[in-house]
Amino acid sequence: MKKEFLQIAIDYANKAFELNEVPVGAVIVKNNEIIGYGYNQKEKGNSVLNHAELLAIEMASKNNNNWRLTDCDIYISLDPCPMCASAIKQARIKNVYSALNNSDENNSMIIKEIFMKDKTNPEVNFISNINPEPVKKMLNTFFKNQRNN
């Protein structure tokens, strides 16, 4: 785990924030090199699928010339939703490093279950709440601004 990659994911979250998107960012790393990145663009793309993690997986798969992202790590500013967690597991990403855990305990339970080993895919190593304060502050500001508009 390299904190500089987590900071880059947080920087992408800030880019989403500046575009009035829910501030979540993600980077995918292979051999200490970023091969994919994304930030939420649901509003811009008018698509529920434009989550940071899914956009990063799509870019990384193209750059890797393979949808299997084995030996890759993903750094995310916020714990993934169940849809993104499933995509991470299906892509066979090895490690997930998240700056901030999701405050929804049910979501956290579902994510941990998704990341467990099953008959098809190996377990995903998941470490959360590594650098919560800047992300918590950004999310609080974002949602406060949304309520005031």
Side-chain angles (χ1 to χ4, degrees), residues 30 61 64-70 72 90-93:
K30 183 174 185 176
S61 296
N64 196 43
N65 291 318
N66 194 330
W67 62 267
R68 292 173 190 88
L69 299 174
T70 52
C72 290
Q90 290 295 315
R92 295 176 172 75
I93 292 173

Side-chain angles (χ1 to χ4, degrees), residues 71-128:
D71 298 322
C72 290
D73 300 330
I74 188 167
Y75 293 80
I76 313 168
S77 61
L78 177 66
D79 286 1
C81 70
M83 175 178 68
C84 291
S86 293
I88 289 166
K89 186 169 182 178
Q90 290 295 315
R92 295 176 172 75
I93 292 173
K94 194 178 211 172
N95 298 298
V96 176
Y97 302 107
S98 173
L100 176 65
N101 67 339
N102 191 311
S103 60
D104 181 344
E105 287 182 31
N106 192 38
N107 186 79
S108 296
M109 213 170 59
I110 292 167
I111 299 311
K112 287 176 183 168
E113 191 170 318
I114 289 169
F115 285 155
M116 290 172 58
K117 182 179 182 346
D118 60 32
K119 292 179 183 178
T120 309
N121 298 304
E123 181 178 5
V124 177
N125 182 40
F126 178 46
I127 301 172
S128 181

